[in-house]
Protein backbone atom coordinates (compact mmCIF):
# COMPACT_ATOMS: atom_id res chain seq x y z
CA UNK A 1 0.00 0.00 0.00
CA UNK A 2 1.23 3.46 -0.89
CA UNK A 3 -0.15 6.84 0.20
CA UNK A 4 0.73 9.93 -1.85
CA UNK A 5 1.33 13.38 -0.37
CA UNK A 6 0.25 16.09 -2.79
CA UNK A 7 -0.46 19.81 -2.83
CA UNK A 8 0.57 23.16 -4.23
CA UNK A 9 4.16 24.32 -3.57
CA UNK A 10 5.29 25.58 -0.17
CA UNK A 11 2.45 24.09 1.90
CA UNK A 12 4.54 21.85 4.15
CA UNK A 13 4.25 18.61 2.18
CA UNK A 14 7.86 17.60 2.71
CA UNK A 15 7.74 18.60 6.37
CA UNK A 16 4.71 16.33 6.73
CA UNK A 17 6.52 13.55 4.86
CA UNK A 18 9.54 13.89 7.16
CA UNK A 19 7.33 13.98 10.26
CA UNK A 20 5.66 10.76 9.15
CA UNK A 21 8.76 8.90 8.00
CA UNK A 22 11.75 10.57 9.70
CA UNK A 23 13.46 10.63 6.31
CA UNK A 24 15.76 13.65 6.00
CA UNK A 25 14.12 15.25 2.98
CA UNK A 26 15.06 18.81 1.97
CA UNK A 27 12.75 21.37 3.61
CA UNK A 28 12.68 25.12 2.91
CA UNK A 29 10.25 28.03 2.97
CA UNK A 30 10.03 28.57 -0.80
CA UNK A 31 8.37 26.82 -3.76
CA UNK A 32 9.77 23.71 -5.46
CA UNK A 33 12.07 22.55 -2.70
CA UNK A 34 11.17 19.00 -3.76
CA UNK A 35 12.80 18.24 -7.11
CA UNK A 36 12.67 14.45 -7.01
CA UNK A 37 9.90 12.47 -5.28
CA UNK A 38 10.67 11.35 -1.73
CA UNK A 39 9.85 7.78 -0.69
CA UNK A 40 9.63 6.54 2.89
CA UNK A 41 7.80 4.37 5.40
CA UNK A 42 5.25 5.67 7.91
CA UNK A 43 3.13 3.78 10.46
CA UNK A 44 -0.55 3.51 11.24
CA UNK A 45 -1.38 2.78 14.87
CA UNK A 46 -3.78 0.54 16.76
CA UNK A 47 -3.93 -0.79 20.30
CA UNK A 48 -1.90 -4.03 20.42
CA UNK A 49 -3.73 -7.08 21.88
CA UNK A 50 -0.73 -8.03 24.05
CA UNK A 51 -1.98 -6.35 27.25
CA UNK A 52 -5.47 -7.78 26.77
CA UNK A 53 -3.99 -11.28 26.45
CA UNK A 54 -1.42 -10.83 29.21
CA UNK A 55 1.52 -11.59 26.93
CA UNK A 56 4.64 -9.77 25.75
CA UNK A 57 4.65 -9.45 21.95
CA UNK A 58 7.66 -9.93 19.66
CA UNK A 59 6.79 -7.99 16.48
CA UNK A 60 8.53 -8.90 13.23
CA UNK A 61 6.80 -6.83 10.56
CA UNK A 62 5.82 -3.92 12.80
CA UNK A 63 6.68 -2.10 16.05
CA UNK A 64 5.06 -2.10 19.48
CA UNK A 65 5.50 0.94 21.76
CA UNK A 66 3.88 0.78 25.20
CA UNK A 67 0.95 -1.23 23.90
CA UNK A 68 0.55 0.67 20.62
CA UNK A 69 1.18 -1.39 17.49
CA UNK A 70 2.72 0.59 14.61
CA UNK A 71 2.17 -1.03 11.21
CA UNK A 72 4.22 0.18 8.21
CA UNK A 73 2.82 1.73 5.02
CA UNK A 74 4.64 3.33 2.08
CA UNK A 75 4.59 7.10 1.55
CA UNK A 76 5.56 9.16 -1.51
CA UNK A 77 5.93 12.97 -1.48
CA UNK A 78 5.96 14.63 -4.91
CA UNK A 79 6.80 18.12 -6.12
CA UNK A 80 4.19 20.85 -5.74
CA UNK A 81 1.51 21.08 -8.41
CA UNK A 82 0.73 24.51 -9.88
CA UNK A 83 -2.05 25.61 -12.25
CA UNK A 84 -1.23 24.12 -15.66
CA UNK A 85 0.95 21.32 -14.24
CA UNK A 86 -0.68 18.80 -16.58
CA UNK A 87 0.62 20.94 -19.45
CA UNK A 88 4.14 20.92 -18.05
CA UNK A 89 4.05 24.14 -16.04
CA UNK A 90 5.97 24.32 -12.79
CA UNK A 91 7.72 21.11 -11.77
CA UNK A 92 4.78 18.90 -10.91
CA UNK A 93 3.96 17.36 -14.28
CA UNK A 94 6.97 15.05 -14.39
CA UNK A 95 6.02 13.60 -11.00
CA UNK A 96 2.32 12.99 -11.59
CA UNK A 97 3.14 9.45 -12.67
CA UNK A 98 4.70 8.82 -9.25
CA UNK A 99 1.18 9.04 -7.82
CA UNK A 100 -0.19 6.38 -10.16
CA UNK A 101 0.31 3.47 -7.76
CA UNK A 102 -1.03 5.31 -4.69
CA UNK A 103 -4.15 3.91 -3.04
CA UNK A 104 -5.12 7.27 -1.53
CA UNK A 105 -3.83 10.84 -1.38
CA UNK A 106 -3.24 13.34 1.41
CA UNK A 107 -3.47 16.89 0.10
CA UNK A 108 -1.59 19.40 2.23
CA UNK A 109 -2.97 22.94 2.32
CA UNK A 110 -1.79 26.02 4.18
CA UNK A 111 -4.65 26.49 6.65
CA UNK A 112 -3.18 29.81 7.77
CA UNK A 113 -3.77 31.27 4.28
CA UNK A 114 -0.25 32.71 4.07
CA UNK A 115 0.69 31.18 0.71
CA UNK A 116 -1.19 31.20 -2.62
CA UNK A 117 -1.78 28.38 -5.15
CA UNK A 118 1.67 29.00 -6.65
CA UNK A 119 3.40 28.81 -3.26
CA UNK A 120 4.12 32.52 -3.00
CA UNK A 121 3.63 34.51 0.20
CA UNK A 122 0.30 36.25 0.71
CA UNK A 123 -1.70 37.66 3.62
CA UNK A 124 -5.11 35.95 3.49
CA UNK A 125 -5.43 33.44 0.66
CA UNK A 126 -8.18 30.82 0.48
CA UNK A 127 -6.72 27.31 1.04
CA UNK A 128 -9.85 25.76 -0.51
CA UNK A 129 -8.64 27.07 -3.87
CA UNK A 130 -5.55 24.87 -3.47
CA UNK A 131 -7.71 21.75 -3.28
CA UNK A 132 -9.81 22.74 -6.28
CA UNK A 133 -6.70 23.50 -8.35
CA UNK A 134 -4.81 20.32 -7.49
CA UNK A 135 -7.81 18.05 -8.03
CA UNK A 136 -8.42 19.66 -11.41
CA UNK A 137 -4.79 19.13 -12.39
CA UNK A 138 -5.07 15.45 -11.50
CA UNK A 139 -8.31 15.17 -13.49
CA UNK A 140 -6.76 16.87 -16.54
CA UNK A 141 -3.70 14.62 -16.28
CA UNK A 142 -5.81 11.45 -16.22
CA UNK A 143 -8.11 12.78 -18.95
CA UNK A 144 -5.07 13.34 -21.14
CA UNK A 145 -3.95 9.74 -20.73
CA UNK A 146 -7.39 8.37 -21.60
CA UNK A 147 -7.95 10.86 -24.43
CA UNK A 148 -4.71 9.87 -26.14
CA UNK A 149 -5.92 6.27 -26.24
CA UNK A 150 -9.61 6.90 -27.01
CA UNK A 151 -9.23 5.88 -30.66
CA UNK A 152 -8.04 2.42 -29.55
CA UNK A 153 -10.53 2.14 -26.68
CA UNK A 154 -13.49 2.98 -28.94
CA UNK A 155 -12.69 0.04 -31.24
CA UNK A 156 -12.89 -2.51 -28.42
CA UNK A 157 -16.22 -4.16 -27.61
CA UNK A 158 -15.26 -4.54 -23.95
CA UNK A 159 -14.68 -0.94 -22.92
CA UNK A 160 -13.91 -1.84 -19.31
CA UNK A 161 -11.12 -4.21 -20.28
CA UNK A 162 -9.78 -1.64 -22.77
CA UNK A 163 -9.72 1.08 -20.10
CA UNK A 164 -8.10 -1.30 -17.63
CA UNK A 165 -5.35 -2.03 -20.16
CA UNK A 166 -4.70 1.69 -20.75
CA UNK A 167 -4.66 2.32 -17.00
CA UNK A 168 -2.51 -0.70 -16.12
CA UNK A 169 -0.04 1.34 -14.05
CA UNK A 170 -2.76 3.44 -12.44
CA UNK A 171 -3.71 0.86 -9.80
CA UNK A 172 -7.43 0.68 -10.57
CA UNK A 173 -9.73 -2.34 -10.75
CA UNK A 174 -12.42 -3.15 -13.30
CA UNK A 175 -14.98 -2.70 -10.51
CA UNK A 176 -13.74 0.85 -9.94
CA UNK A 177 -13.86 1.60 -13.68
CA UNK A 178 -17.47 0.39 -13.88
CA UNK A 179 -18.43 2.36 -10.77
CA UNK A 180 -16.86 5.55 -12.17
CA UNK A 181 -18.60 5.13 -15.54
CA UNK A 182 -21.94 4.50 -13.85
CA UNK A 183 -21.49 7.52 -11.60
CA UNK A 184 -20.72 9.68 -14.64
CA UNK A 185 -23.69 8.19 -16.55
CA UNK A 186 -21.50 6.79 -19.32
CA UNK A 187 -21.65 3.49 -21.25
CA UNK A 188 -18.85 0.94 -20.92
CA UNK A 189 -19.30 -0.83 -24.25
CA UNK A 190 -18.73 0.71 -27.66
CA UNK A 191 -17.13 3.69 -25.96
CA UNK A 192 -17.13 6.92 -27.96
CA UNK A 193 -16.79 9.51 -25.23
CA UNK A 194 -16.45 13.24 -25.81
CA UNK A 195 -13.76 15.33 -24.08
CA UNK A 196 -16.37 16.33 -21.50
CA UNK A 197 -17.31 12.67 -20.95
CA UNK A 198 -13.65 11.73 -20.46
CA UNK A 199 -13.18 14.51 -17.94
CA UNK A 200 -16.29 13.50 -15.97
CA UNK A 201 -15.20 9.85 -15.95
CA UNK A 202 -11.69 10.82 -14.86
CA UNK A 203 -13.05 12.93 -12.00
CA UNK A 204 -15.20 10.03 -10.77
CA UNK A 205 -12.41 7.48 -11.18
CA UNK A 206 -10.01 9.63 -9.15
CA UNK A 207 -12.64 10.06 -6.43
CA UNK A 208 -13.26 6.31 -6.25
CA UNK A 209 -9.74 4.94 -6.75
CA UNK A 210 -7.63 7.65 -5.10
CA UNK A 211 -9.70 9.27 -2.34
CA UNK A 212 -8.27 12.52 -0.97
CA UNK A 213 -7.97 13.53 2.68
CA UNK A 214 -7.22 17.22 3.24
CA UNK A 215 -4.45 18.03 5.74
CA UNK A 216 -5.10 21.55 7.06
CA UNK A 217 -1.44 22.16 7.85
CA UNK A 218 0.03 24.99 9.95
CA UNK A 219 -3.06 24.84 12.17
CA UNK A 220 -0.89 26.01 15.07
CA UNK A 221 -0.57 29.32 13.19
CA UNK A 222 -4.28 30.06 12.74
CA UNK A 223 -7.58 30.25 14.60
CA UNK A 224 -9.97 27.31 14.69
CA UNK A 225 -12.46 29.49 12.82
CA UNK A 226 -10.26 29.23 9.71
CA UNK A 227 -10.28 25.45 9.91
CA UNK A 228 -14.06 25.43 10.31
CA UNK A 229 -14.46 27.77 7.34
CA UNK A 230 -12.21 25.55 5.22
CA UNK A 231 -14.21 22.44 6.10
CA UNK A 232 -17.40 24.30 5.21
CA UNK A 233 -15.97 25.29 1.82
CA UNK A 234 -14.76 21.77 1.10
CA UNK A 235 -17.95 19.81 1.66
CA UNK A 236 -17.36 16.31 0.31
CA UNK A 237 -13.80 16.22 1.65
CA UNK A 238 -12.72 15.36 5.18
CA UNK A 239 -10.45 18.04 6.63
CA UNK A 240 -7.98 17.20 9.42
CA UNK A 241 -6.15 20.07 11.16
CA UNK A 242 -2.48 19.35 11.75
CA UNK A 243 0.95 20.81 12.35
CA UNK A 244 3.65 18.91 10.51
CA UNK A 245 6.33 21.19 11.99
CA UNK A 246 5.31 20.43 15.59
CA UNK A 247 5.13 16.68 14.90
CA UNK A 248 8.55 16.68 13.24
CA UNK A 249 10.07 18.56 16.19
CA UNK A 250 8.53 16.08 18.64
CA UNK A 251 9.73 13.09 16.62
CA UNK A 252 13.27 14.51 16.51
CA UNK A 253 13.22 15.22 20.25
CA UNK A 254 12.05 11.66 20.92
CA UNK A 255 14.74 10.24 18.63
CA UNK A 256 17.43 12.15 20.54
CA UNK A 257 16.07 10.90 23.89
CA UNK A 258 14.94 14.30 25.14
CA UNK A 259 11.32 13.16 25.42
CA UNK A 260 9.21 10.00 25.40
CA UNK A 261 6.59 10.47 22.71
CA UNK A 262 4.32 8.07 20.85
CA UNK A 263 2.91 9.53 17.60
CA UNK A 264 -0.75 10.40 18.06
CA UNK A 265 -0.54 10.99 21.81
CA UNK A 266 -1.80 14.17 23.45
CA UNK A 267 1.30 14.57 25.59
CA UNK A 268 4.89 13.51 26.17
CA UNK A 269 7.38 13.09 29.01
CA UNK A 270 10.58 15.14 29.24
CA UNK A 271 13.47 12.82 30.13
CA UNK A 272 16.37 15.14 30.90
CA UNK A 273 17.42 18.70 31.57
CA UNK A 274 17.01 21.00 28.61
CA UNK A 275 18.08 24.52 27.73
CA UNK A 276 15.80 27.51 28.22
CA UNK A 277 15.11 27.62 24.48
CA UNK A 278 14.25 23.90 24.41
CA UNK A 279 12.07 24.27 27.49
CA UNK A 280 10.12 27.11 25.86
CA UNK A 281 9.70 25.13 22.64
CA UNK A 282 8.56 22.01 24.49
CA UNK A 283 6.08 24.03 26.54
CA UNK A 284 4.62 25.50 23.33
CA UNK A 285 4.33 22.06 21.73
CA UNK A 286 2.86 20.52 24.88
CA UNK A 287 0.18 23.20 24.88
CA UNK A 288 -0.60 22.51 21.22
CA UNK A 289 -0.86 18.70 21.42
CA UNK A 290 -2.86 18.89 24.65
CA UNK A 291 -5.69 20.37 22.57
CA UNK A 292 -5.92 17.20 20.48
CA UNK A 293 -2.60 15.87 19.05
CA UNK A 294 -0.58 17.29 16.15
CA UNK A 295 -3.03 15.66 13.73
CA UNK A 296 -0.30 13.86 11.77
CA UNK A 297 -1.01 10.37 13.07
CA UNK A 298 -4.72 11.02 12.72
CA UNK A 299 -4.18 11.71 9.02
CA UNK A 300 -2.55 8.32 8.47
CA UNK A 301 -5.09 6.41 10.54
CA UNK A 302 -8.06 8.11 8.88
CA UNK A 303 -6.74 7.35 5.39
CA UNK A 304 -5.94 3.70 6.03
CA UNK A 305 -8.67 2.66 8.46
CA UNK A 306 -11.36 5.13 7.42
CA UNK A 307 -11.11 5.93 3.72
CA UNK A 308 -9.45 2.69 2.57
CA UNK A 309 -11.39 0.58 5.10
CA UNK A 310 -8.47 -1.57 6.21
CA UNK A 311 -8.34 -3.65 9.37
CA UNK A 312 -5.47 -5.28 11.29
CA UNK A 313 -5.34 -9.05 11.73
CA UNK A 314 -2.75 -11.14 13.59
CA UNK A 315 -2.03 -14.56 12.02
CA UNK A 316 -0.47 -17.13 14.38
CA UNK A 317 0.52 -20.80 14.23
CA UNK A 318 -0.11 -21.64 17.90
CA UNK A 319 -3.55 -20.43 18.97
CA UNK A 320 -2.82 -21.14 22.64
CA UNK A 321 0.43 -19.18 22.91
CA UNK A 322 -0.36 -16.71 20.08
CA UNK A 323 2.98 -17.49 18.46
CA UNK A 324 4.51 -18.29 15.11
CA UNK A 325 6.67 -21.32 14.30
CA UNK A 326 9.63 -19.75 16.11
CA UNK A 327 7.80 -18.81 19.28
CA UNK A 328 7.40 -15.11 18.48
CA UNK A 329 4.27 -13.74 20.17
CA UNK A 330 1.86 -11.83 17.87
CA UNK A 331 4.69 -11.48 15.34
CA UNK A 332 2.81 -10.06 12.35
CA UNK A 333 0.16 -7.34 12.19
CA UNK A 334 -1.34 -7.58 8.71
CA UNK A 335 -3.39 -4.89 7.03
CA UNK A 336 -6.30 -6.38 5.05
CA UNK A 337 -9.41 -4.91 3.47
CA UNK A 338 -12.70 -5.02 5.34
CA UNK A 339 -14.62 -8.04 4.07
CA UNK A 340 -11.51 -10.21 3.68
CA UNK A 341 -12.19 -13.85 4.55
CA UNK A 342 -10.04 -16.33 6.45
CA UNK A 343 -9.24 -17.94 3.10
CA UNK A 344 -8.22 -14.53 1.76
CA UNK A 345 -5.86 -14.13 4.71
CA UNK A 346 -4.37 -17.54 3.98
CA UNK A 347 -3.75 -16.46 0.38
CA UNK A 348 -1.96 -13.35 1.62
CA UNK A 349 0.35 -15.55 3.70
CA UNK A 350 1.03 -18.19 1.03
CA UNK A 351 -0.88 -19.48 -2.01
CA UNK A 352 -0.33 -23.13 -1.00
CA UNK A 353 -1.72 -22.40 2.46
CA UNK A 354 -4.94 -21.14 0.87
CA UNK A 355 -5.07 -23.89 -1.74
CA UNK A 356 -5.02 -26.62 0.90
CA UNK A 357 -6.81 -24.71 3.67
CA UNK A 358 -9.21 -26.72 5.83
CA UNK A 359 -10.49 -24.14 8.31
CA UNK A 360 -9.38 -21.36 10.66
CA UNK A 361 -9.31 -20.99 14.44
CA UNK A 362 -10.16 -17.89 16.45
CA UNK A 363 -7.21 -17.80 18.87
CA UNK A 364 -9.21 -15.92 21.50
CA UNK A 365 -12.23 -18.23 21.71
CA UNK A 366 -10.49 -21.32 20.24
CA UNK A 367 -13.54 -21.77 18.01
CA UNK A 368 -13.24 -23.35 14.58
CA UNK A 369 -14.10 -20.95 11.74
CA UNK A 370 -15.02 -21.74 8.11
CA UNK A 371 -12.88 -20.56 5.21
CA UNK A 372 -15.63 -18.07 4.41
CA UNK A 373 -15.41 -16.40 7.83
CA UNK A 374 -15.21 -12.61 7.41
CA UNK A 375 -12.33 -11.23 9.44
CA UNK A 376 -12.87 -8.58 12.11
CA UNK A 377 -10.47 -5.86 13.20
CA UNK A 378 -7.90 -7.12 15.73
CA UNK A 379 -8.69 -10.79 15.06
CA UNK A 380 -6.01 -13.32 15.99
CA UNK A 381 -6.31 -16.20 13.53
CA UNK A 382 -4.71 -19.58 12.98
CA UNK A 383 -5.00 -21.07 9.49
CA UNK A 384 -5.27 -24.88 9.46
CA UNK A 385 -4.15 -26.32 6.16
CA UNK A 386 -3.17 -29.68 4.69
CA UNK A 387 -0.25 -27.99 2.96
CA UNK A 388 3.16 -29.09 4.19
Amino acid sequence: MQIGIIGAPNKGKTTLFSAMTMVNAQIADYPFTTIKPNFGVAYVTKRCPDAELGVHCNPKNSICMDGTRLVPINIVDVAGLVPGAHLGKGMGNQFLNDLASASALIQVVDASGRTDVNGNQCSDCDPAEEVIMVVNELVFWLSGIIGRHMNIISKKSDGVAALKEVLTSFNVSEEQIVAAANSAGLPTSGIAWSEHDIEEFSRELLRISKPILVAANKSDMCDKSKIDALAQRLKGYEVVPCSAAVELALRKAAKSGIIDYIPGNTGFKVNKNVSKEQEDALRYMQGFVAKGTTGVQELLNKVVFGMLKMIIVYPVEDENKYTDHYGNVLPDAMLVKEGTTAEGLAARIHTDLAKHMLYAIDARSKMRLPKSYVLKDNDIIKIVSAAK
Side-chain angles (χ1 to χ4, degrees), residues 159-204:
V160 175
L163 285 165
K164 180 76 163 58
E165 185 175 352
V166 167
L167 301 172
T168 297
S169 64
F170 197 65
N171 190 28
V172 294
S173 65
E174 290 192 355
E175 291 76 15
Q176 289 172 329
I177 291 172
V178 170
N182 290 341
S183 183
L186 296 170
T188 54
S189 61
I191 290 177
W193 295 344
S194 66
E195 287 187 17
H196 175 73
D197 293 337
I198 294 171
E199 184 177 316
E200 288 303 301
F201 170 78
S202 299
R203 193 173 297 278
E204 290 303 310

Side-chain angles (χ1 to χ4, degrees), residues 225-243:
S225 60
K226 284 200 170 187
I227 306 294
D228 293 338
L230 177 62
Q232 185 66 24
R233 282 267 282 135
L234 293 175
K235 287 184 176 179
Y237 293 94
E238 185 167 6
V239 177
V240 177
C242 68
S243 174

